[in-house]
Amino acid sequence: MSGLLSNFRNTVIVSAIIALVIVVSYNMHPNTFAPERYWEAVFRWLHTFFGVLWIGLLYYFNFVQIRKMPEIPAELKPAVSKYIAPEALFWFRWAALATVIMGALIAWQRGYLVDALALGLTSGNARDSFIGLGMWLGIIMMINVWAFIWPNQKRALGIVEADADTKAKAAKTAMLFSRTNMLLSIPMLATMTMNQTMFG
């Protein structure tokens, strides 16, 4: 077991295989729901997985990395900026995109995508207003990741060539948009979690 758990790739593969067996088993159960209900459940599982990965990394950046970087001695900072941050940003940006796509697929599958994006103005339904607010917060956060955080982090981390002033300005811009996403994330999570319980 130690050999399996010592290898990240193998751990993820085994975990994914176990999850896929469970996912397929749901579809094979004699009391299975209609196919559209099954796919909704699959999309919800993926939406949750990617959302946990995305928001978990957002919280790592804001609760830990951004706060502690000023305390790290200068000679140790490259360990974070050259190795940890680029890897974390890879998973961060793709998880953001996948979370939004899976969320949109759930809303489309359940038939409320347009009404939610219209914040319930087309349906007059409070459920659509609340989940729509959460969806728009998530979309804004995902746009922030791809349009502001990632391009500026590439400059700040030296992935893209930039002078010292540009790097400093890019680091501050990336931090401000990351902090904006943290600010938006807690209300967004309130809509996502409460909506399912309150409206089903």
Side-chain angles (χ1 to χ4, degrees):
M1 192 64 147
S2 173
L4 167 68
L5 298 176
S6 297
N7 184 302
F8 172 76
R9 186 196 60 180
N10 291 345
T11 303
V12 170
I13 289 170
V14 171
S15 181
I17 289 169
I18 294 168
L20 287 173
V21 167
I22 293 168
V23 168
V24 170
S25 297
Y26 270 105
N27 198 35
M28 296 173 64
H29 193 275
N31 297 325
T32 203
F33 294 104
E36 61 273 7
R37 191 77 183 269
Y38 173 75
W39 287 108
E40 178 190 331
V42 171
F43 297 150
R44 189 176 305 281
W45 165 58
L46 292 171
H47 179 61
T48 303
F49 169 74
F50 289 120
V52 168
L53 181 57
W54 175 23
I55 301 304
L57 285 167
L58 173 70
Y59 290 166
Y60 158 73
F61 288 132
N62 281 279
F63 281 82
V64 180
Q65 186 173 307
I66 293 170
R67 288 180 51 248
K68 299 309 276 182
M69 277 300 278
E71 299 172 25
I72 297 174
E75 67 274 9
L76 299 179
K77 286 186 181 187
V80 174
S81 61
K82 296 215 178 291
Y83 297 98
I84 295 172
E87 181 75 8
L89 286 163
F90 171 84
W91 295 105
F92 177 69
R93 68 184 186 271
W94 289 108
L97 182 61
T99 302
V100 170
I101 290 170
M102 290 301 128
L105 286 171
I106 294 167
W108 171 74
Q109 187 74 27
R110 293 198 66 185
Y112 63 78
L113 179 63
V114 172
D115 291 328
L117 291 174
L119 296 172
L121 297 174
T122 52
S123 66
N125 189 326
R127 177 202 69 180
D128 296 333
S129 300
F130 282 112
I131 199 66
L133 174 61
M135 288 169 67
W136 276 111
L137 290 172
I139 290 166
I140 291 165
M141 290 168 62
M142 187 267 296
I143 291 169
N144 284 348
V145 168
W146 282 93
F148 301 104
I149 297 171
W150 175 233
N152 280 288
Q153 283 288 17
K154 284 195 288 188
R155 288 188 280 278
L157 296 172
I159 297 168
V160 170
E161 197 69 34
D163 60 47
D165 288 341
T166 303
K167 283 183 178 184
K169 184 178 175 192
K172 177 152 188 168
T173 301
M175 183 278 293
L176 291 172
F177 277 96
S178 182
R179 197 56 54 81
T180 299
N181 275 8
M182 189 183 127
L183 183 148
L184 298 177
S185 71
I186 297 173
M188 181 270 298
L189 288 170
T191 65
M192 294 292 170
T193 56
M194 293 187 70
N195 216 66
Q196 185 65 23
T197 302
M198 300 300 289
F199 299 108

